[in-house]
Amino acid sequence: MKKIKNIFTSLLGILLLTVSCQDDDPTVGDLLTPTNLQVTATIVGQDANNPNGDGSGVVNFSASADDTITYRFIYEGNEQTAPTGTASFIFSNLGINSYTVNVIAYGTAGNSTTTTITVDVLATYAPPAELLEKLVGDSSRTWRIKSEQAGHFGLGPVGGTVPTEWYGAQPDEKATVGMYDDRYIFNADGTFSFITNNTNDEDGTDASGTVFGRVNLVDALGSSGGEVNGADVENLPYNDFDETWALIAPSGVETITLTGNGFIGYYTGGSQTYEIFDRSVPNELILRTTDGNGEFDWWFIITSVEPSGNSFQTQYNNLVWEDNFDTNGAPDAANWTYDLGDGGWGNGEEQTYTNNADNVVIEDGMLKITAKKETGGNYTSARLKSENLYEFSYGRIEVRAKLPASQGTWPAIWMLGANFDTVGWPVCGEIDIMEQKGQDKNTVLGTVHHPGVSPGAGDSATTALPTSTTEFHNYTVEWTDTTITFLVDDFVFHTVNNDVTLPFNDDFFLILNVAMGGTLGGTIDPLFTQDTMEIDYVRVYQ
């Protein structure tokens, strides 16, 4: 594999060749050696009480010299080439340790001046075993952009806490730009391997491909070509390469740092550090990095699971029931009735359900279920159901919705067995097409409940969905006599086997609601006033 540091060597060789070929050209000028090389080091978090830094191990270096073209910083085989004279290293040996960094200033014709600087740095972060296992596995683990997931790539304001606040890519939206076939390997020996064309590399025939990056900033990779598309450079030719990686935790935030020009997904320049925003979903990470211009935060969802060879194929295409919420006012009484009242609903919830227009109304082609804080501190909301109006067995149920963003809201799109009144729960069975926890608005759940797994549990799975509260998504269940399959935007994230011993072979009815607090809603934001789940349509296919 091609090392990024070799790019610099090659460029330097070209420079030497160019100068030697022009020795007799009087316009070349003097061959200058850099002078007055000065280097300073700033240990992150260093102050009078913390002379060796904040424990993150991060040190920023700055070099200056006269008659200099570029600089190189070297520490134990880790190299950074920096035309501007600035570089950062992460020193991760626990405790206070002394490190020596070599700094080289290069002038014309490869003439150089070298100095060293020594720093004493404190490192206190030891990565948890479960995070190392997730990243590396037994010895190395391969990751990719989760291209099939909505919001897998996006951007927002610097310091924002909502992934893809300004933009989020739809599934496979960037299929032609040179990003989805890249692979990122975290090796146990600390090397980070970047494969630029996974399709060809699988048979060992090619170690070159293309990458994707920010216009101008991507020039730091030293490659040429690609296709400029607005602020992006697409399909920039590039070879496989190795760098090194480490885990740090500046200000307590778990962060992946890459040396040199190592990057993930989209080259943004800057220090190439990636905050681990969320690692709760198995085989997935949500990462955030700030670009070299300091303009945006860039977000990525990466996964260590390769994509399925076949997209999901439904067996149900006949639309048998729908509500598109086209008529303003109250929901259609032929389709929906209500659960009313309070009492916690078995989950310690805090709302009282009503059928008031303040809590449930159709406006502008959307069903809006609004949870509100009333005078006196009580909460109201609404819970619609198709019980005794529309009940059915098997089919594909698709609901397009945007979820409330407030802490403590517990939105749900689900179904109960039609024999609920006679046999009770969990004997009747429950299929939760979509639920979202009140404390985690970047993930949604799909779950079934039945006597074999409930009460107290369920057969459940989650998938990352950082745009769940800012964009509409399709929440779908494909229910057959053999399987119950959960999807978001046609991406399968959970499958449950069905058979004659389970309660999922009789009629069920639909439920739409927003709860407050309770077992999944959790602590309600004390500043909460109101928030809404908007539903574009509900459709059943058989």
Side-chain angles (χ1 to χ4, degrees), residues 314-324 390 394-399 510 537-542:
T314 183
Q315 61 179 279
Y316 300 120
N317 291 297
N318 181 32
L319 181 62
V320 297
W321 188 90
E322 66 178 330
D323 196 331
N324 293 307
Y390 181 67
Y394 309 135
R396 175 163 57 93
I397 304 92
E398 183 175 295
V399 181
L510 297 160
Y537 60 76
V538 180
R539 295 172 183 167
V540 179
Y541 299 82
Q542 288 183 329

Side-chain angles (χ1 to χ4, degrees), residues 14 120 236 409 464:
I14 293 170
D120 295 325
L236 179 71
T409 56

Side-chain angles (χ1 to χ4, degrees), residues 179-492:
M179 177 167 66
Y180 293 164
D181 59 357
D182 296 339
R183 295 296 181 269
Y184 326 107
I185 305 174
F186 294 95
N187 299 296
D189 65 1
T191 57
F192 171 78
S193 300
F194 191 119
I195 299 173
T196 62
N197 189 340
N198 182 64
T199 304
N200 286 341
D201 280 355
E202 286 177 351
D203 60 12
T205 61
D206 192 6
S208 63
T210 62
V211 296
F212 180 39
R214 193 72 171 166
V215 71
N216 297 326
L217 293 173
V218 78
D219 293 347
L221 294 182
S223 186
S224 61
E227 305 146 13
V228 177
N229 183 2
D232 302 325
V233 177
E234 302 171 352
N235 297 304
L236 179 71
Y238 210 63
N239 288 348
D240 297 354
F241 63 88
D242 282 353
E243 283 292 345
T244 61
W245 70 278
L247 284 168
I248 59 173
S251 301
V253 179
E254 293 176 333
T255 301
I256 300 169
T257 179
L258 304 175
T259 59
N261 289 324
F263 70 100
I264 293 171
Y266 176 85
Y267 188 83
T268 64
S271 60
Q272 302 305 327
T273 58
Y274 296 84
E275 293 182 2
I276 301 175
F277 186 77
D278 192 326
R279 60 179 175 92
S280 61
V281 178
N283 305 311
E284 289 185 20
L285 295 170
I286 300 179
L287 305 178
R288 174 176 64 182
T289 189
T290 302
D291 63 44
N293 292 327
E295 291 182 294
F296 309 113
D297 274 353
W298 297 85
W299 299 82
F300 306 90
I301 300 176
I302 64 173
T303 177
S304 57
V305 177
E306 284 298 312
S308 172
N310 299 311
S311 59
F312 178 77
Q313 297 293 324
T314 183
Q315 61 179 279
Y316 300 120
N317 291 297
N318 181 32
L319 181 62
V320 297
W321 188 90
E322 66 178 330
D323 196 331
N324 293 307
F325 307 113
D326 291 332
T327 303
N328 286 351
D332 188 344
N335 291 340
W336 305 103
T337 183
Y338 303 89
D339 280 322
L340 301 173
D342 56 9
W345 298 93
N347 304 300
E349 301 164 24
E350 298 189 30
Q351 79 287 337
T352 295
Y353 284 129
T354 83
N355 57 3
N356 299 332
D358 285 348
N359 297 118
V360 56
V361 69
I362 296 173
E363 292 178 336
D364 304 320
M366 299 289 171
L367 172 67
K368 299 180 180 180
I369 300 176
T370 300
K372 299 183 65 177
K373 188 174 185 178
E374 304 291 348
T375 302
N378 296 322
Y379 302 95
T380 58
S381 186
R383 177 158 135 169
L384 284 72
K385 59 182 181 178
S386 68
E387 186 178 18
N388 298 321
L389 297 172
Y390 181 67
E391 299 172 346
F392 63 100
S393 300
Y394 309 135
R396 175 163 57 93
I397 304 92
E398 183 175 295
V399 181
R400 184 165 179 81
K402 183 170 68 172
L403 308 183
S406 300
Q407 176 183 308
T409 56
W410 174 3
I413 299 166
W414 53 301
M415 300 191 295
L416 272 180
N419 59 352
F420 169 74
D421 282 341
T422 58
V423 302
W425 184 93
V427 176
C428 66
E430 176 179 329
I431 301 173
D432 298 325
I433 302 171
M434 185 289 305
E435 289 184 288
Q436 187 174 66
K437 294 181 179 180
Q439 315 301 307
D440 180 3
K441 297 305 179 180
N442 300 303
T443 304
V444 294
L445 302 86
T447 308
V448 298
H449 294 277
H450 58 82
V453 294
S454 300
D459 189 339
S460 184
T462 62
T463 187
L465 194 62
T467 58
S468 64
T469 65
T470 58
E471 299 177 7
F472 283 87
H473 294 278
N474 289 350
Y475 301 99
T476 305
V477 154
E478 179 107 349
W479 170 28
T480 77
D481 60 348
T482 59
T483 58
I484 302 172
T485 304
F486 295 81
L487 308 91
V488 173
D489 297 330
D490 294 327
F491 167 67
V492 176

